[in-house]
């Protein structure tokens, strides 16, 4: 079964600074990878996903992530964050076949300070 | 396109009481999921339906939790009796996929507090 580890539970950063949220996955087979964002009292919104092809994936709100198969990582990056990026970010994995369930990491709380 | 609708948004009950949550997925979506998100944790899959059949309920505490998806559209998740540790946000998600999952769309969730 697949699993996801988000290496940082909290990431504080100043506005306009770059940020990287780290995600490692465990799987013996190929996987689909996702990043979701959750604003307070809201559901999860998809930021970006990796299914196949180019390892650099661009998403909404200026976020991007790079799939690294050798390091089993899928880190999320943004070159310049805004106050409005303050939220909880979840990395998730699902197998490209079978029951297609999605497994989530514990989340990283990104706090952008002025 | 309307999103995944859930109700109620908030619910407070006493332990040992029963509670039900409702979810209306995006029209035409074959697959529906219920997730439990405890404060400070990532969502955990409780049950997955494909149309009106259960695909995976291995993590559903069946002694107290039940779920159904009548006619392959709306779904209801019930807890009876509730325990303090059931306090969480219950998220419903849907996907058009019946094969590999390429995206799941989430509702706003129901926040349950058991006192």
């Amino acid at each position: 079964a697949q699993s996801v580890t988000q290496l940082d539970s909290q990431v504080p950063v100043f506005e306009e600074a770059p940020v990287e949220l780290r995600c490692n996955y465990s799987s013996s087979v190929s996987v689909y990878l996702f990043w979701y964002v959750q604003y307070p009292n809201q559901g999860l919104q998809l930021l970006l996903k990796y299914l196949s092809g180019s390892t650099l994936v661009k998403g909404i709100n200026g976020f991007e992530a790079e799939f690294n198969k050798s390091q089993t990582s899928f880190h999320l990056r943004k070159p310049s964050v805004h106050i409005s990026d303050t939220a909880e970010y979840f990395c998730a994995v699902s197998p490209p076949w079978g029951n297609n369930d999605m497994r989530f990491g514990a989340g990283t709380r990104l706090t952008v300070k002025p | 396109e309307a999103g995944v609708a859930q109700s109620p948004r908030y619910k407070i009950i006493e332990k040992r009481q029963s509670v039900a949550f409702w979810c209306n997925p995006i029209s035409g979506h074959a697959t529906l999921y219920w997730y439990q998100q405890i404060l400070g944790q990532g969502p955990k899959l409780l049950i997955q339906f494909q149309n009106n059949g259960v695909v995976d309920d291995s993590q559903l505490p069946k002694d107290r939790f039940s779920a159904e998806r009548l006619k392959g559209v709306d779904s209801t998740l019930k807890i009876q009796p509730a325990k303090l540790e059931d306090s969480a946000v219950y998220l419903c998600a849907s996907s058009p996929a019946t094969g590999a999952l390429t995206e799941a769309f989430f509702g706003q969730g129901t926040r349950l507090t058991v006192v």
Side-chain angles (χ1 to χ4, degrees):
Chain A
Q2 294 79 25
S3 65
V4 171
T5 301
Q6 291 184 242
L7 299 167
D8 306 293
S9 60
Q10 297 185 61
V11 173
V13 64
F14 287 105
E15 193 173 18
E16 298 183 7
V19 70
E20 178 180 82
L21 305 184
R22 297 181 293 167
C23 171
N24 284 93
Y25 69 92
S26 173
S27 176
S28 58
V29 297
S30 60
V31 294
Y32 291 163
L33 292 158
F34 308 81
W35 274 100
Y36 280 85
V37 60
Q38 186 176 36
Y39 298 104
N41 298 315
Q42 299 293 319
L44 278 71
Q45 178 184 5
L46 182 68
L47 277 177
L48 49 80
K49 60 186 176 183
Y50 172 79
L51 304 181
S52 65
S54 172
T55 58
L56 183 61
V57 180
K58 293 189 182 298
I60 63 171
N61 301 342
F63 284 93
E64 64 180 33
E66 186 157 17
F67 170 61
N68 188 318
K69 187 175 181 179
S70 62
Q71 297 186 9
T72 61
S73 68
F74 190 56
H75 300 335
L76 181 71
R77 301 187 184 98
K78 187 170 182 177
S80 176
V81 295
H82 304 290
I83 298 287
S84 59
D85 292 323
T86 294
E88 192 85 19
Y89 291 79
F90 293 96
C91 184
V93 62
S94 75
W97 63 79
N99 288 344
N100 60 48
D101 64 331
M102 188 177 287
R103 304 294 171 127
F104 288 84
T108 297
R109 174 71 180 174
L110 174 64
T111 302
V112 181
K113 299 179 285 187
Chain B
E1 172 180 85
V4 176
Q6 290 188 248
S7 67
R9 287 295 312 277
Y10 306 93
K11 189 75 176 178
I12 301 175
I13 62 172
E14 295 182 349
K15 59 183 178 182
R16 291 188 289 273
Q17 285 187 322
S18 62
V19 64
F21 313 128
W22 173 81
C23 172
N24 185 17
I26 293 173
S27 178
H29 280 195
T31 304
L32 184 148
Y33 309 84
W34 282 102
Y35 284 86
Q36 180 191 57
Q37 186 179 18
I38 293 173
L39 185 64
Q41 300 181 19
K44 183 185 83 171
L45 180 69
L46 291 176
I47 188 168
Q48 176 187 345
F49 292 93
Q50 197 165 97
N51 297 309
N52 61 349
V54 175
V55 174
D56 182 359
D57 63 357
S58 58
Q59 297 190 86
L60 187 73
K62 299 181 186 62
D63 57 333
R64 299 183 299 106
F65 286 65
S66 64
E68 60 182 7
R69 190 184 184 194
L70 300 176
K71 300 181 181 178
V73 183
D74 294 6
S75 178
T76 302
L77 176 69
K78 296 179 182 177
I79 308 175
Q80 182 180 13
K83 293 185 176 182
L84 295 177
E85 58 261 36
D86 298 332
S87 293
V89 175
Y90 291 85
L91 294 166
C92 179
S94 70
S95 168
T98 55
L101 177 62
T102 56
E103 185 171 353
F105 297 83
F106 285 81
Q108 290 188 306
T110 295
R111 181 177 298 276
L112 172 67
T113 302
V114 183
V115 298

